Amino acid sequence: MAANQFYVIANHLEIPMDERDRLLMPKRAITVSCPIHRDDGSVAVFEGYRVQHLLTMGPTKGGTRFAPSVDIGEVAALAVWMSWKCALAGLPYGGAKGGVTVDLTTMSKRELEALSRRYMQEMIPFVGPHTDVMAPDMGTNEQVMAWFMDTYSMYQGQTVTEIVTGKPVYAGGTLGRREATGRGVAHLAKRVMDVLAINPAGATAVIQGFGNVGSYAALGLHQFGLKVIAVSDHTGALYDKGGLDILALMRHTDQHGSIAGFSNQLHFDPAQVLTLACDVLVPAAMERVIDAKVADNLKCRILAEGANGPTTPEADLVLEKRQDEMFLIPDILCNSGGVVVSYFEWVQDLQQLFWEEEEVMRREYQILDRAFEHMLKRAKADKISHRTAAMAIGVEKVRAAKNTRGLFP
Ligand code: NAD
């Protein structure tokens, strides 16, 4: 998917064939085995990966995913998207991504800590505050980032908070990082509502995935006055046409880890969540959930891609035909609030000077608004889709940097 999307952009930008591999091929792809002691005393080995897409713009930056689906291909695609995302937002980073193939439901907290620490230890030769900076993604959280930071620091003999972002605030994290991605999704959706003259009071939203991104996107939209009528996660879905109580649902998921058990009355078919009629639809769970058939059946006015890669290239063709009915906020813009505030965290850690939350939010929205305007202008000027416009801006910036720096030796 990531390669196909790149070729669409490369054709649009008429990038010569001999430049394309240099832009697309990952600079480094690292595979490690991570042995740990299980609680029963046996030894289990997990495969871990890290792909650093390009080193042209500065250090690489990207999340670490702990999930059964993780493989080197998935990680590479996510790393490529991160590069265009960082370039679109104007951050001094190339893209990276990492992960471990693991089913977390089979792990105790002690085993998770052992795996997190061993993964970071295996990565030490390849990462660093000015080489590659990790962050959370699916299946990892502030606690895992704190273990990563602690492990790296133990090896350096000093505390190096700037090695990862998404840490707890009391361990070198920044205010506003936990909320940053979801908040950014809600902020951009609200901007589009302004463009389309949709009144938030009385408007509706549907969210797939109620983890970090989905829950804070739901909260942000709820605070703008929208009714969040449906929410789903890996355990099921909830529907209430009067609007779900998002704060109560967040308290429930904090305590129980999922939306299961929140209500006996509000159950809904998770397979139908994406195609519910609503003003704002936020896929915030995983890749490739919107295929051509789902795209044909979408009934939202705004598709705000909180997840990375939720829409297949075949679905994109359908969305392009339907762009007068449906406004797409593509993933590399829509969820970029996360990496933007991760960048702020890195900057604050390097300077040991910490900002107020209002400052973090103001600067986050400033960067998102600038990227949004840039995308809109480009899409209109070139008569291209929002995704093509957003990616074209990112690819162009990387290409310009590569060409200006030249090719060593
Ligand atoms: P998370 O682990 O906190 O939450 C994932 C959510 O998706 C959970 O609620 C889970 O139950 C749900 N889910 C899993 N499988 C599902 C299914 N089949 N149907 C419905 N729901 C399902 O992860 P997250 O950090 O919120 O990340 C979600 C997406 O957003 C990922 O694509 C990630 O790459 C992307 N993203 C995250 C960030 C960030 O800052 N966390 C930033 C940018 C992009």
Side-chain angles (χ1 to χ4, degrees), residues 274-275 290-301 303 315-328:
L274 291 173
T275 50
I290 301 176
D291 58 17
K293 197 163 154 232
V294 175
D296 237 352
N297 287 317
L298 291 178
K299 293 178 206 69
C300 56
R301 303 277 304 279
L303 174 57
D316 257 337
L317 299 177
V318 178
L319 295 186
E320 274 184 43
K321 284 197 202 113
R322 298 187 62 194
Q323 56 189 329
D324 291 341
E325 308 157 53
M326 215 179 335
F327 191 111
L328 170 71

Side-chain angles (χ1 to χ4, degrees), residues 179-195 200 213 216-224 226 280 282 302 304 327 329 333-338 340 360-373:
E179 301 85 354
T181 311
R183 248 182 205 161
V185 171
H187 175 81
L188 288 167
K190 171 69 169 53
R191 279 215 58 155
V192 177
M193 292 175 77
D194 294 343
V195 171
V213 180
Y216 283 104
L219 183 64
L221 292 169
H222 168 73
Q223 286 167 343
F224 283 131
L226 284 88
V280 181
V282 182
I302 300 166
F327 191 111
I329 316 176
L333 169 65
C334 194
N335 66 35
S336 64
V340 166
V360 171
M361 287 168 68
R362 185 183 65 75
R363 286 177 182 252
E364 176 185 352
Y365 297 155
Q366 193 178 37
I367 291 181
L368 293 183
D369 287 342
R370 194 175 54 207
F372 177 77
E373 294 298 339

Side-chain angles (χ1 to χ4, degrees), residues 24-262:
L24 181 63
M25 300 286 284
K27 170 58 67 185
R28 296 181 187 137
I30 302 142
T31 304
V32 293
S33 60
C34 305
I36 62 158
H37 283 294
R38 303 291 316 223
D39 289 344
D40 64 7
S42 64
V43 172
V45 181
F46 296 89
E47 265 193 88
Y49 310 97
R50 185 86 186 156
V51 172
Q52 298 165 349
H53 177 219
L54 46 91
L55 309 178
T56 313
M57 315 299 282
T60 50
K61 183 90 192 71
T64 309
R65 180 173 283 195
F66 284 1
S69 65
V70 168
D71 61 27
I72 193 85
E74 179 177 288
V75 169
L78 290 162
V80 169
W81 283 324
M82 271 306 278
S83 287
W84 316 142
K85 187 188 296 185
C86 292
L88 174 67
L91 309 181
Y93 294 134
K97 207 78 178 193
V100 176
T101 317
V102 54
D103 178 359
L104 290 180
T105 60
T106 65
M107 304 281 282
S108 70
K109 188 166 181 211
R110 192 208 60 80
E111 290 170 336
L112 176 62
E113 177 173 356
L115 181 61
S116 304
R117 288 185 181 279
R118 186 62 192 240
Y119 173 77
M120 175 45 108
Q121 186 271 328
E122 297 290 350
M123 287 295 157
I124 286 177
F126 311 106
V127 299
H130 295 283
T131 312
D132 183 13
V133 181
M134 294 185 187
D137 194 76
M138 259 168 83
T140 58
N141 55 20
E142 291 178 8
Q143 174 61 78
V144 173
M145 295 307 112
W147 287 327
F148 281 177
M149 185 272 277
D150 184 69
T151 303
Y152 187 85
S153 298
M154 288 300 116
Y155 277 84
Q156 306 305 316
Q158 57 182 325
T159 295
V160 188
T161 50
E162 58 271 29
I163 183 61
V164 294
T165 60
K167 303 176 296 292
V169 171
Y170 45 81
T174 180
L175 294 166
R177 173 61 186 89
R178 184 184 302 170
E179 301 85 354
T181 311
R183 248 182 205 161
V185 171
H187 175 81
L188 288 167
K190 171 69 169 53
R191 279 215 58 155
V192 177
M193 292 175 77
D194 294 343
V195 171
L196 301 179
I198 298 173
N199 183 359
T204 54
V206 168
I207 319 279
Q208 183 195 48
F210 205 71
N212 176 274
V213 180
S215 63
Y216 283 104
L219 183 64
L221 292 169
H222 168 73
Q223 286 167 343
F224 283 131
L226 284 88
K227 278 190 285 199
V228 180
I229 56 170
V231 155
S232 71
D233 75 359
H234 68 284
T235 63
L238 299 166
Y239 175 82
D240 183 349
K241 77 174 190 316
L244 292 157
D245 183 343
I246 296 303
L247 279 172
L249 192 54
M250 285 175 82
R251 278 194 299 272
H252 177 88
T253 51
D254 266 356
Q255 234 182 334
H256 303 283
S258 74
I259 63 173
F262 178 71

